[in-house]
Each structure stands twice: as structure tokens, then as C-alpha cells.
Amino acid sequence: MKFAAAIPFLILTAACAQTPAPAWKAPQALTQCQQLRHHGKLPEARQCFSRLANSEDPYLRAEGLWFLNDAKGANDAFRAATKAQPNNPDYKVRWGRLMLDRWQPKDAQDLFTEALAINKEHAGALVGLALIAAENWEQKAAEMAKAALKSDPNLLEAQELLARVALEDNNPDLASKEADKAIAMSNEALDAMAIKATIDWMDDKQQTPWIDKILKINPVYGEAYASAAHFFVINRRYDEGMRFYRKALELNPELWDAKAELGVQLMRVGQEGEARRLLEDCYNNSYGSPAVRNTLKLMDSYKRFVTFETPTTIVRLDKKEADLLKPYVESELLRAMAVYDKKYKMKLSGPVQFELYPNHEDFAVRTMGMPGLGALGVTFGQVVAMDSPTARKPGTNHWASTMWHELSHVYVLTATKHRVPRWFTEGMAVHEETAASPEWGDRLAPDVIKAMADKKLLPIAELDRGFVHPSYPMQVIVSYFQAGRVCDYINEKYGYDRLLKMITAFGERKDTTEVIEQVLGMKPEEFDKQFFAWLDQQHGTTVKNYSEWMKRWRGLQKTAESKQYDDVIKEGKAIRDMYPDYVEGASVYELLADAYAGKGDKTAAIGQLEDYAKHGGRSPATLKKLATLQEESGNKEAAARALARLNYVYPTDEELHRRLGGLYLDLGNRDGAIRELHAVIAMKPLDVADANYKLAMAYKAAGKKDEAREAVLNALEAAPGYKAAQRLLLELDGKD
């Protein structure tokens, strides 16, 4: 995933809603109903909850209506119950759980907070907040669960949540221990047993005693399989995850959350027909979760897309930008696959499907559910979804870099049979971006600098945790950086073959510790020591001087505003290399270039802007300025290279393609000129005649007479009196 949110914690939330924590003593009538449900006696449970739904007690009525899937009625009844007993925190907590079950986390949080205002140690409210944190993949989910257990040491739900969070952190040993604690609390701890079963299944054990124990207690507890599916999916083992969702539905066809998740997963891997049927079934049965509603809307929008297929690729683009993007996307995709075939020493068994979304919200829905959604791209097996270049502010989305990143996932996941820790597959993908071009990839960001200064980078054996349950803001970004630099370090010190050996070892189901010991011949602790020393050599100067750089950079901007060019040059040269990776707004490179240009030294200005580009600067305006200066200095080849960078950043710029097409014509790059001038036409320019005339000239230069004639006729159709086009047509027809 290119930093690219999280799978909603619907399975856990729904399961917990069905088995209330013993944070308070429920009325006997409710307890009887809950026990029937807990043991899988669903018809009897329905009768029992139906009686509660007709109770005069508004609280019992709320619980009954909730089970019967009458969310509105249950909400009204909870409101009446809390109005009658405004200082009863238990009612607020249960009402909050209804809100959480019905996808209203903000309302749920408010109710849990109100309960804590009445009783600051209310275990049920604390576990409710833990569940909300877990939905958001926050590390404080475990902290809140522990707080709930401190308040009520017998709170089974909180203990089961700790097991779940540990397994999400890719720590099966800890997850098993936490699950054992839950089972010690209750020999009917179904969700803890499901964790134990999942650990066995993820270790490729065909049989596990835990599922037999679960089904002996509750023969229709499909939630156990759905819980396992959740873990397979977040570990990118999508096919197995979908099989477990199907098993869940075989036990209980009305397990709507599992059906919805299966539908979403099928959509992600391109099986849209069955996905739609399942999601529509959910919606028609009043299970209209945001995932269900939004995914159905997204699938309806597919009529706006057009698909292009080759033997090895499937590219899906929005119709409004397909003509423009197709040549660039297809050629870059084929180039990347050719490189990866050699680097990874393998070929993919089937075509790769790439989808580009000009509306970021559509992309978010397409990818909704994966931890660490950064917003640029995500991979589901051999299906990749990305923001298109138009989905973001110009200069902020290097789509080609993202493509190489995501395609690396396809190869690494395939090579390891999806048995690979998140840190390694993300680290390889980040490494491959800059391997494709030193100008690509993400730069050293201030948040990373701060994390390095504060010693917040994780040991290699725990690095996955930084992706799944971050403990501080921006830790996901920091973890991407660290994982990428780990792979850079291994490649630099040991060679790329060691990275390939690590891929093989992960595919053999070895964990990070085993792989480091086997492939690199050292303990993880020794690796950390050596890696952090290397990282300090790479970035220690920037980390050490960042505060000083920031202070002086701010002063430099003020100096630049007053056009004190000599002072800008002196100070800019002094601080530029303190933080050479900074290429965002008002970079030192740009300030220096402006100062040199102000003094009439275009050569020095060009040098600064070339350094800006080499360090990954992507501002369209700045790169155009560089191209202009280079062209004015007579270096058309360099100008063309500067503009060509923008095709990877923001190709929906008519001026870019006009200028680059003209430069390519002058330089004799006829194929490049044809591509760029086609891009101009794809953008529906105001001067259609001129665009087609120039395209005809490019075709003529390339010796493609028929294509030239078609283009010049298009020019004359738009402007019949266009003299130059008339002359070119006569020339092409041999009449001039």
C-alpha cells in the first residue's frame, strides 16, 4: 500500500453487542435471552427478545427491539429509559453500544463519555471507548481495554479485545496468552477461542480443536469464522479470508456483517457480480452499513469507466480522462512489469488490474477497510486501485511512483503466497520507488525527523505494530520511512539477492526474527544496532540541525520577500544542505533560484532548480520555470526532461503537452511528439485546429503519411480556412 484506514471493526462490534460484558448485572429476563443467543438457540432467542420488545420497561424494550433489528425503535426506547433514569450509566452504555452497532461511533462516544461523567470507572463505558479506538486502529484500544479490566477484572469482553489487538499487531504468542486469560475467565469465551483457532489456521493447520469447542457451545457461531476472515484479510491473504466468510455464512446465513465484508472483499478482487448480489441482499435486509451503501454506489459509478485489456494488463480509467492517461499508464505499467520480472525472477500467473480514480472519495470507498490507508494506492492480490493524477492537488501525487510501489506488492505477495509481514512488503515497495528513479519516492519528512530525534523508531521485530496500531500521530508515515530505509540498508550492505532470499524465507512462513537470523546471520537486536548507526550516518546531520534549519529557513523567507538577493544567496547556501530533502513550498532551492534570477545569473538559477528536481521537487510551476530557463539558455534537451517529469506528476496540463510536444519535434523525438500532441487533443483544447495541425506535422516527420492526412483533415474540419493546414494537405496528397 502506498501511504497510502482501516477495516471497520464490525465483526467484533457486532459480536460484542450480542454478548454484553458483565460490567453490570443485567435483568434476569434479559440474561435468559442472551444465554439462548449465546448458545445458538436463535429461534428461542427470537421469541424471548420478542417478549422483551413488548415490555413496559423501556430499557428491556430497547434490548428486545435491538435484537429484532428495529434500530429506530430501540433508539427511541433507550432514549425513554435514559430520560426516566438520567443518572443510570448502564443505560447510556448500552445505548452507546447500539449506536456503535449501527455505525454511529461519534454518538456512541458521547454516550460512553456521559456514562463516565457519572461513574469515572465504569468498565462498560471504558470498553466501549476501547472498541471505538479499535475501529480506528489506535494503540489506545489496548490501553482502554486494560483500564476496563482494572475497573472490572472479570470483564471478559475487554480481555478478548486485548487478544484481538495483539493478533492484529502480528504477535500471535501474545494473542494466544491474552486469549488464554479470557478462557480462564469463562470456559465459554467464544471470541477468545476464535482467536486461538485463527492462530492455528494462519499457521496453515487444517484442523484446530478450538472450532470444535466453539461449535459445541454454539453450533451456529459463524462469528468465529468471520473473526478468522478478518485476520486473513488484514494480512492480505484475501482468498483464504473470503473462504472463512463463506464458512461463517454457511453456519448463519443472516450474519449480515460477514455477508457485507464478503461482498466488499469480492468487489476488491474484481468479482463484482457476486459482490453486488451479496451487498444488495444486505441492504434489502436493513443492513445498510456505510461500507454496503458506499460500495453499491461505487459499483453503480463503474458505468463511467472504460477498460483496456492486454494479455498481461487490465486498465480501468474514468471515461473523462481515459484518452489522456491511457498511453502513459499502459506504457509505464508494462515498463515496470518488465523490470520486476527480472528483479524478482518471476512472472505473474495472470493479468494485473489497475484502476485509477479521479474522485478520491471513490478511491477511498474502493479501498475502505485496510489499515494504514494513506490515500494514494492499495493492492488486493493482482488488483491495484489508485488515485488518478487528477484526484489531488497538482504536484502532490506522483502516480508513476505509486504504480511502481503497488506493483511491487503484487510481486512480493505472489512470491510469498501472501505470507509476509507488512513492514517488509511496504519496505520493499518504498525501496523500489527510488530504485526506479532517485527522484521518485517520498522525501525525509519533518514528522520522521521528529520521530528520529525522539528515538521513536521501532525495533525490526516490532515494526509491524507501527503500521497497524500507531501509538502517536503520523507513526504510520514514520513506519513507511523506516521500513523503506531498512530495505535500502540491506540492499546497500548485502546486495539485492539478500532481499530476494528474505522473500523466499517469508514465503516459507518464517517470522521476522527467523528471517533476520537466517538470511543476515544475526539477532534482530544486532541488526537494529547496525541499522540505526547507518541511518544516523545518512540523516543524523538533518536531525541534529533541524530546529536551527527551521528557524533560519523562516528568516530566509522574510529576507527573500524583501528581495535582498545577496543575503538570500549567502544564507540559503549556508542552510540548504542541512535539510536537502526539503522540496515543499518555499524550499531553499526555489528561494536561491529566485535570488540568482533576480541578479541576472540564469545559470546559477538553473543549477538550483535542477537540484530541486533531483531531490524530488514536484511543483508544476517550479518545474515549468526550470524548463523555461533551460530553453532560453538553448538547452532544449534539458528543458524537455524537466517538462517530462510533470507527466508523472500532473499530466492534465494542456500547456505542458504543447510545450513538450514542440520540444520533442525540435529534438527529432517524433514518437514523443506524437504522444504529447495526442494528449493536447485528448484535453479538448480551444484551438482544436492548431492542435491537429501540429499533430499532423509530427506524423509527417515520422513518415506516417496516412495518420498525418487524418490529423490535417481534422484540423480543416475545425477550421476550413486554415491556410497552413490546407498547404500541408496538398503536400501530403502530392499536389504541392
Side-chain angles (χ1 to χ4, degrees), residues 377-444:
V378 69
T379 299
F380 301 103
Q382 291 190 195
V383 177
V384 173
M386 294 170 38
D387 269 340
S388 93
T390 57
R392 294 193 161 267
K393 182 180 177 182
T396 61
N397 179 8
H398 195 297
W399 65 267
S401 188
T402 300
M403 173 184 284
W404 282 70
H405 180 111
E406 297 303 330
L407 191 60
S408 171
H409 288 329
V410 175
Y411 280 82
V412 172
L413 291 171
T414 300
T416 60
K417 299 181 178 62
H418 293 241
R419 267 81 162 175
V420 59
R422 186 170 294 276
W423 78 261
F424 183 79
T425 185
E426 295 296 354
M428 281 297 293
V430 171
H431 168 78
E432 298 291 14
E433 290 183 70
T434 50
S437 170
E439 298 176 6
W440 294 9
D442 295 327
R443 304 294 100 182
L444 179 64

Side-chain angles (χ1 to χ4, degrees), residues 2 268 305-309 312-318 328-330 332-334 336-337 340 348 351-357 363 366 376-388 399-411:
K2 176 69 188 292
R268 286 172 177 158
F305 286 75
V306 59
T307 301
F308 306 94
E309 299 188 25
T312 56
T313 64
I314 301 171
V315 175
R316 174 181 280 174
L317 301 171
D318 191 290
Y328 301 97
V329 172
E330 283 191 336
E332 193 63 29
L333 180 53
L334 291 172
M337 292 177 68
Y340 284 157
L348 300 173
V352 177
Q353 179 168 319
F354 263 78
E355 304 172 357
L356 275 73
Y357 291 85
F363 165 72
R366 180 68 174 85
L376 292 177
V378 69
T379 299
F380 301 103
Q382 291 190 195
V383 177
V384 173
M386 294 170 38
D387 269 340
S388 93
W399 65 267
S401 188
T402 300
M403 173 184 284
W404 282 70
H405 180 111
E406 297 303 330
L407 191 60
S408 171
H409 288 329
V410 175
Y411 280 82

Side-chain angles (χ1 to χ4, degrees), residues 238-239 242 246 262-279 299 302 316 353 355 366 383:
Y238 304 114
D239 289 343
M242 289 187 291
R246 293 187 191 280
L262 176 57
V264 170
Q265 293 306 321
L266 287 165
M267 183 273 293
R268 286 172 177 158
V269 298
Q271 299 180 38
E272 294 159 11
E274 184 182 3
R276 181 180 287 277
R277 290 193 296 273
L278 291 172
L279 295 171
M299 294 174 74
Y302 283 165
R316 174 181 280 174
Q353 179 168 319
E355 304 172 357
R366 180 68 174 85
V383 177

Side-chain angles (χ1 to χ4, degrees), residues 480-632:
Y480 270 91
F481 168 83
Q482 182 180 349
R485 294 307 270 154
V486 165
C487 292
D488 291 342
Y489 170 67
I490 293 171
N491 178 65
E492 180 179 306
K493 183 172 182 179
Y494 300 99
Y496 196 80
D497 281 347
R498 294 290 184 96
L499 292 170
L500 294 180
K501 289 180 179 179
M502 293 177 76
I503 291 174
T504 300
F506 282 126
E508 294 169 350
R509 297 190 291 109
K510 292 180 171 62
D511 62 24
T512 295
T513 296
E514 293 170 319
V515 170
I516 294 294
E517 292 177 350
Q518 174 184 317
V519 178
L520 302 182
M522 66 182 73
K523 296 289 185 182
E525 295 79 9
E526 178 60 27
F527 176 85
D528 289 333
K529 181 180 178 181
Q530 294 185 20
F531 167 70
F532 287 130
W534 174 85
L535 192 66
D536 185 65
Q537 292 176 352
Q538 298 287 314
H539 303 295
T541 299
T542 297
V543 173
K544 178 182 178 181
N545 295 321
Y546 179 70
S547 295
E548 180 186 353
W549 176 89
M550 175 66 74
K551 180 180 179 180
R552 294 173 69 176
W553 171 65
R554 288 171 176 164
L556 182 65
Q557 292 179 71
K558 293 181 180 178
T559 304
E561 289 174 3
S562 62
K563 298 184 178 182
Q564 301 174 49
Y565 297 137
D566 289 334
D567 291 341
V568 169
I569 292 169
K570 180 180 178 181
E571 179 70 353
K573 290 171 67 176
I575 71 170
R576 181 193 59 194
D577 295 336
M578 287 183 179
Y579 185 7
D581 265 7
Y582 183 76
V583 288
E584 302 305 320
S587 71
V588 178
Y589 301 104
E590 295 169 278
L591 298 176
L592 279 169
D594 288 344
Y596 280 122
K599 288 175 63 66
D601 190 346
K602 290 187 177 182
T603 300
I606 289 172
Q608 293 300 319
L609 294 180
E610 286 179 339
D611 284 345
Y612 166 85
K614 289 175 183 177
H615 282 85
R618 297 168 186 169
S619 163
T622 302
L623 292 176
K624 284 182 181 180
K625 182 188 297 183
L626 170 59
T628 298
L629 290 171
Q630 290 168 327
E631 190 171 3
E632 289 174 351

Side-chain angles (χ1 to χ4, degrees), residues 685-694 711-712 714-720 722 725:
L686 291 175
D687 195 343
V688 176
D690 182 66
N692 276 283
Y693 171 73
K694 288 178 178 175
V712 78
N714 289 335
L716 289 169
E717 181 180 355
Y722 195 166

Side-chain angles (χ1 to χ4, degrees), residues 201-398:
W201 285 324
M202 294 192 74
D203 199 31
D204 288 333
K205 295 177 181 178
Q206 297 299 311
Q207 303 294 327
T208 174
W210 294 103
I211 193 62
D212 296 330
K213 294 178 181 180
I214 290 170
L215 297 181
K216 186 175 181 180
I217 297 167
N218 184 337
V220 295
Y221 199 68
E223 290 90 336
Y225 287 119
S227 178
H230 163 80
F231 289 102
F232 277 96
V233 167
I234 68 171
N235 282 280
R236 303 183 179 187
R237 294 167 66 174
Y238 304 114
D239 289 343
E240 294 160 287
M242 289 187 291
R243 285 201 294 272
F244 278 103
Y245 279 129
R246 293 187 191 280
K247 283 181 174 289
L249 293 170
E250 288 173 6
L251 288 183
N252 184 356
E254 295 186 0
L255 198 59
W256 300 111
D257 46 10
K259 184 171 288 191
E261 286 296 327
L262 176 57
V264 170
Q265 293 306 321
L266 287 165
M267 183 273 293
R268 286 172 177 158
V269 298
Q271 299 180 38
E272 294 159 11
E274 184 182 3
R276 181 180 287 277
R277 290 193 296 273
L278 291 172
L279 295 171
E280 287 180 344
D281 190 26
C282 290
Y283 187 81
N284 293 334
N285 283 276
S286 301
Y287 191 85
S289 70
V292 169
R293 296 194 311 271
N294 293 334
T295 303
L296 285 172
K297 289 179 182 177
L298 175 63
M299 294 174 74
D300 287 340
S301 76
Y302 283 165
K303 61 180 177 289
R304 301 197 311 263
F305 286 75
V306 59
T307 301
F308 306 94
E309 299 188 25
T310 74
T312 56
T313 64
I314 301 171
V315 175
R316 174 181 280 174
L317 301 171
D318 191 290
K319 291 178 182 178
K320 68 183 181 182
E321 58 184 20
D323 289 343
L324 170 64
L325 296 181
K326 178 178 179 288
Y328 301 97
V329 172
E330 283 191 336
S331 63
E332 193 63 29
L333 180 53
L334 291 172
R335 183 172 81 93
M337 292 177 68
V339 170
Y340 284 157
D341 283 350
K342 293 180 180 179
K343 292 191 75 171
Y344 292 111
K345 300 179 181 180
M346 61 176 288
K347 285 187 177 292
L348 300 173
S349 59
V352 177
Q353 179 168 319
F354 263 78
E355 304 172 357
L356 275 73
Y357 291 85
N359 183 330
H360 173 70
E361 294 308 314
D362 284 344
F363 165 72
V365 171
R366 180 68 174 85
T367 62
M368 183 171 45
M370 290 303 298
L373 173 66
L376 292 177
V378 69
T379 299
F380 301 103
Q382 291 190 195
V383 177
V384 173
M386 294 170 38
D387 269 340
S388 93
T390 57
R392 294 193 161 267
K393 182 180 177 182
T396 61
N397 179 8
H398 195 297

Side-chain angles (χ1 to χ4, degrees), residues 46-228:
R46 179 169 290 277
Q47 292 178 358
C48 185
F49 278 103
S50 294
R51 289 193 293 272
L52 294 185
N54 292 309
S55 171
E56 293 184 1
D57 183 333
Y59 168 68
L60 291 178
R61 189 164 65 251
E63 293 282 2
L65 292 168
W66 183 1
F67 177 85
L68 296 175
N69 204 28
D70 183 353
K72 183 180 183 305
N75 185 63
D76 292 341
F78 272 124
R79 180 177 290 107
T82 54
K83 183 177 181 180
Q85 297 188 37
N87 293 319
N88 186 330
D90 302 324
Y91 288 179
K92 291 182 181 293
V93 168
R94 291 301 294 159
W95 192 5
R97 293 301 291 270
L98 170 67
M99 292 294 100
L100 194 54
D101 189 44
R102 302 309 294 180
W103 321 291
Q104 301 293 331
K106 177 61 171 63
D107 292 336
Q109 181 172 326
D110 290 345
L111 286 162
F112 297 145
T113 303
E114 290 175 17
L116 289 172
I118 299 170
N119 176 1
K120 65 180 180 180
E121 297 181 351
H122 195 286
L126 291 169
V127 82
L129 292 175
L131 289 171
I132 293 174
E135 281 197 47
N136 295 324
W137 299 91
E138 298 174 7
Q139 186 62 38
K140 69 178 182 180
E143 299 168 9
M144 298 301 297
K146 289 175 182 177
L149 281 169
K150 184 177 180 181
S151 179
D152 181 356
N154 296 314
L155 185 51
L156 176 62
E157 184 179 27
Q159 186 60 54
E160 289 179 318
L161 178 56
L162 287 176
R164 188 181 188 96
V165 169
L167 192 53
E168 287 176 338
D169 279 339
N170 198 21
N171 192 337
D173 291 339
L174 178 59
S176 182
K177 291 175 183 176
E178 299 288 12
D180 286 340
K181 293 177 184 178
I183 294 168
M185 291 180 181
S186 169
N187 58 9
E188 292 191 352
L190 297 179
D191 289 339
M193 294 179 189
I195 293 292
K196 300 282 283 188
T198 299
I199 293 171
D200 286 343
W201 285 324
M202 294 192 74
D203 199 31
D204 288 333
K205 295 177 181 178
Q206 297 299 311
Q207 303 294 327
T208 174
W210 294 103
I211 193 62
D212 296 330
K213 294 178 181 180
I214 290 170
L215 297 181
K216 186 175 181 180
I217 297 167
N218 184 337
V220 295
Y221 199 68
E223 290 90 336
Y225 287 119
S227 178

